[in-house]
C-alpha cells in the first residue's frame, strides 16, 4: 500500500498548482474554494471564498460551483487537502482547477488580504443544519435569511403558516400587521392562535407563537388598520411583503405601495376549496392591476365568512407563499413572478398560468401616471366595512 506521502506526490503530479502570488492574480476572475474545516474558516479566510469542507466536497460542490468550465482556485491550510480536492474536482468534470501551495497560512504570512468571515455560532448551526446541507442555501444563504426583513399583512389563515415557516427558517425580522382579535371561529384554520389566547390581539398572539418557535427572530407587531395614511411607513425597511389580506381595497393599496417602494409582494388568495399564489415584483413582472384591472362586484367576491373555506387550504397556500418568500430572499429557483399557481383541493390539481405585464396598465405601464396613495373603499364597499380582514 502506498504511503500518504506517495499518494500526495502522485496527486500533485496529476494536478496544477500555483503559489499565493499567482493565486492573488486570479482574484476577481476565479472562484476561491476554501476546503478547510468550519473552525479553521471561522478564524480567517480569503474574502469572497466559497467555504466547503473537504469531507462534503463531492456531495455539495456542484450546487456551490455549478459552472464546471469556470476557473477555480482551491486552498486549505497548507496545500495538502487542496491538492486532493483539486484532483476530486477534475474527476467531477471541472476543467480549470488549481491548488494553492502553502495554503491560507502562507497567504496570510505574506501579508495578503484576508478577513474574519461572519459565521453561525454552534446553536445556529445546529438549528439550521438542514439548510446548511443545501448548496443553494448553505451558511451564506442562512446569513442572508437572518439579515432579511419580511412584512406579513395579516395574522390569519394565510399569515399563520407563512409566519411559522418564515420564523422557523430563520428570517431575522418579521413584521405582522393585523388589527383583529383572536376569535374561536378563527381556530379552524388560523394555526398561529390557540384557545387560551381567544380575545387577544392577533399580533400579540402571533408574537407569542413565533417567540416560542424561534426566540432569535425579531417579531415586530402593528396593531393597526392598513390604510393610505400608513402603508408606505409600514413598508419602509422591509425586503419583502407577504400578503394575506382578503379584500380588493387593501390589495390595490398594497400594489401601489409596492410599486412606489419597489418591494416585491408574495400574493395569496383563497376561496372555498381553491387557492392562488403569485409574486408581484415591481417592474420586473406584472403588478396586481395587470392581474385584476378592476374589482368584481361585491356579490361575486364574498369573503370567507360568507362563502366558507376548507380549513387546511390556507395552510397549503400560506406555505407556498412562504416558499416563494424564501426563494426571493435567497435568489434561488424560478419564482412565481409572471406566473399564477392555482390549486384545487377537490380535484387535487395544481395548474400554473402565465401572466404578462399589461402595456396599458394604469399603475405599472410605460404611460402610467404618478402613483398616488389613496383609499379604495369605494371600489368594494361591503369589503371595506370589514377591512382589514384576513382569511
Amino acid at each position: 500500500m502506498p504511503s500518504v506521502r506517495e499518494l500526495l506526490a502522485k496527486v500533485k503530479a496529476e494536478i496544477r498548482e500555483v503559489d499565493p502570488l499567482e493565486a492573488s492574480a486570479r482574484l476577481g476572475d476565479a472562484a476561491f474554494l476554501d476546503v478547510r474545516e468550519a473552525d479553521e474558516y471561522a478564524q480567517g479566510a480569503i474574502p469572497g471564498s466559497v467555504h466547503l469542507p473537504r469531507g462534503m466536497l463531492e456531495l455539495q460542490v456542484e450546487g456551490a460551483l455549478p459552472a464546471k468550465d469556470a476557473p477555480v482556485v482551491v486552498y486549505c491550510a497548507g496545500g495538502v487537502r487542496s491538492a486532493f480536492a483539486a484532483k476530486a474536482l477534475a474527476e467531477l468534470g471541472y476543467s480549470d482547477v488549481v491548488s494553492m501551495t502553502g495554503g491560507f497560512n502562507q497567504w496570510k504570512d505574506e501579508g495578503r488580504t484576508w478577513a474574519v468571515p461572519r459565521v453561525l455560532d454552534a446553536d445556529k448551526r445546529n438549528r439550521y443544519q438542514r439548510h446548511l446541507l443545501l448548496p443553494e442555501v448553505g451558511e451564506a444563504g442562512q446569513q442572508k435569511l437572518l439579515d432579511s426583513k419580511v412584512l406579513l399583512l395579516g395574522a390569519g389563515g394565510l399569515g399563520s403558516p407563512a409566519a411559522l415557516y418564515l420564523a422557523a427558517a430563520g428570517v431575522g425580522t418579521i413584521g405582522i400587521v393585523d388589527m383583529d382579535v383572536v376569535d374561536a371561529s378563527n381556530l379552524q384554520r388560523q394555526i398561529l392562535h390557540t384557545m387560551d389566547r381567544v380575545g387577544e390581539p392577533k399580533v400579540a398572539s402571533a408574537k407569542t407563537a413565533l417567540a416560542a418557535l424561534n426566540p432569535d427572530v425579531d417579531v415586530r407587531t402593528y396593531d393597526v388598520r392598513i390604510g393610505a395614511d400608513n402603508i408606505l411607513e409600514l413598508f419602509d425597511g422591509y425586503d419583502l411583503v407577504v400578503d394575506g389580506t382578503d379584500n380588493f381595497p387593501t390589495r390595490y393599496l398594497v400594489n401601489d405601495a409596492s410599486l412606489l417602494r419597489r418591494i416585491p409582494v408574495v400574493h395569496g388568495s383563497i376561496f372555498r376549496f381553491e387557492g392562488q399564489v403569485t409574486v408581484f415584483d415591481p417592474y420586473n413582472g406584472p403588478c396586481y392591476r395587470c392581474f385584476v384591472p378592476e374589482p368584481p362586484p361585491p356579490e361575486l367576491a364574498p369573503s370567507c365568512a360568507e362563502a366558507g373555506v376548507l380549513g387546511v387550504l390556507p395552510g397549503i397556500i400560506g406555505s407556498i407563499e412562504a416558499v416563494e418568500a424564501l426563494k426571493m430572499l435567497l435568489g434561488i429557483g424560478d419564482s412565481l413572478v409572471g406566473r399564477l399557481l392555482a390549486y384545487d383541493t377537490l380535484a387535487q390539481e395544481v395548474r400554473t398560468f402565465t401572466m404578462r405585464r399589461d402595456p396599458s396598465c394604469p399603475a405599472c405601464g410605460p404611460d402610467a401616471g404618478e402613483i398616488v396613495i389613496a383609499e379604495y373603499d369605494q371600489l368594494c364597499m361591503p369589503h371595506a366595512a370589514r377591512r382589514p380582514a384576513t382569511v
Side-chain angles (χ1 to χ4, degrees):
M1 293 292 291
S3 67
V4 173
R5 187 185 298 274
E6 290 170 331
L7 280 175
L8 178 60
K10 182 176 184 297
V11 166
K12 282 178 172 281
E14 297 174 357
I15 64 170
R16 289 184 294 150
E17 293 184 296
V18 296
D19 61 25
L21 177 61
E22 294 172 286
S24 65
R26 298 188 172 211
L27 283 171
D29 296 323
F32 276 63
L33 178 62
D34 188 330
V35 296
R36 296 174 298 161
E37 295 303 309
D39 58 335
E40 297 175 279
Y41 175 75
Q43 295 174 31
I46 298 173
S49 298
V50 175
H51 177 233
L52 195 56
R54 176 65 189 91
M56 301 299 294
L57 183 70
E58 287 84 353
L59 293 175
Q60 298 186 0
V61 70
E62 290 180 338
L65 300 174
K68 292 191 174 183
D69 57 347
V72 180
V73 176
V74 191
Y75 71 92
C76 60
V80 174
R81 284 171 289 177
S82 63
F84 286 103
K87 177 71 161 56
L89 289 175
E91 291 173 346
L92 288 171
Y94 287 84
S95 59
D96 187 2
V97 181
V98 296
S99 170
M100 188 174 78
T101 60
F104 180 69
N105 292 339
Q106 184 176 334
W107 176 282
K108 186 168 63 170
D109 290 344
E110 292 178 356
R112 305 188 190 285
T113 302
W114 64 281
V116 177
R118 288 182 62 197
V119 295
L120 301 175
D121 61 32
D123 288 341
K124 285 186 173 60
R125 291 192 66 83
N126 182 53
R127 173 181 282 274
Y128 304 117
Q129 183 186 32
R130 299 304 189 275
H131 272 177
L132 303 184
L133 293 173
L134 296 171
E136 296 84 354
V137 182
E139 185 152 346
Q142 190 60 54
Q143 291 280 13
K144 189 180 294 186
L145 292 180
L146 290 165
D147 291 339
S148 296
K149 298 179 180 180
V150 173
L151 181 67
L152 295 175
L153 303 183
L158 296 176
S160 287
L164 288 167
Y165 275 113
L166 292 176
V171 172
T173 301
I174 297 177
I176 305 176
V177 187
D178 202 312
M179 64 170 293
D180 204 356
V181 298
V182 179
D183 185 85
S185 66
N186 302 147
L187 304 183
Q188 169 250 14
R189 64 203 176 279
Q190 299 181 15
I191 57 175
L192 264 176
H193 314 297
T194 55
M195 277 298 298
D196 63 321
R197 298 201 292 273
V198 167
E200 283 188 21
K202 284 187 178 177
V203 291
S205 173
K207 184 168 186 174
T208 297
L210 299 185
L213 177 63
N214 190 348
D216 292 336
V217 175
D218 177 16
V219 181
R220 302 177 183 178
T221 60
Y222 307 91
D223 190 0
V224 297
R225 170 190 182 273
I226 301 170
D229 60 333
N230 64 7
I231 192 163
L232 291 178
E233 182 181 351
L234 289 169
F235 275 33
D236 283 343
Y238 286 95
D239 304 308
L240 186 76
V241 172
V242 175
D243 184 7
T245 60
D246 76 342
N247 63 86
F248 289 99
T250 303
R251 289 170 182 166
Y252 287 123
L253 263 181
V254 169
N255 186 68
D256 292 348
S258 167
L259 292 169
L260 279 173
R261 291 295 190 256
R262 293 181 179 265
I263 297 175
V265 173
V266 179
H267 169 80
S269 60
I270 58 175
F271 179 73
R272 302 187 72 217
F273 299 99
E274 301 176 1
Q276 300 176 338
V277 184
T278 189
V279 177
F280 299 117
D281 190 7
Y283 304 104
N284 292 321
C287 76
Y288 187 72
R289 277 198 180 276
C290 297
F291 178 44
V292 186
E294 298 292 337
E299 63 272 15
L300 296 182
S303 70
C304 292
E306 297 165 329
V309 62
L310 185 67
V312 72
L313 174 62
I316 296 168
I317 299 301
S319 295
I320 295 173
E321 285 189 277
V323 169
E324 290 301 304
L326 293 175
K327 286 163 56 182
M328 292 290 287
L329 294 172
L330 291 167
I332 61 174
D334 296 323
S335 78
L336 285 175
V337 174
R339 294 186 296 154
L340 177 72
L341 183 149
Y343 175 58
D344 182 340
T345 61
L346 295 184
Q348 202 59 275
E349 182 177 76
V350 178
R351 302 178 67 187
T352 305
F353 303 91
T354 299
M355 299 195 305
R356 295 181 174 86
R357 289 184 65 183
D358 180 357
S360 61
C361 176
C364 76
D367 299 320
E370 180 183 359
I371 296 175
V372 177
I373 298 294
E375 299 290 353
Y376 289 96
D377 287 348
Q378 72 279 4
L379 293 177
C380 193
M381 291 303 294
H383 287 291
R386 292 191 297 270
R387 199 147 67 94
T390 53
V391 295

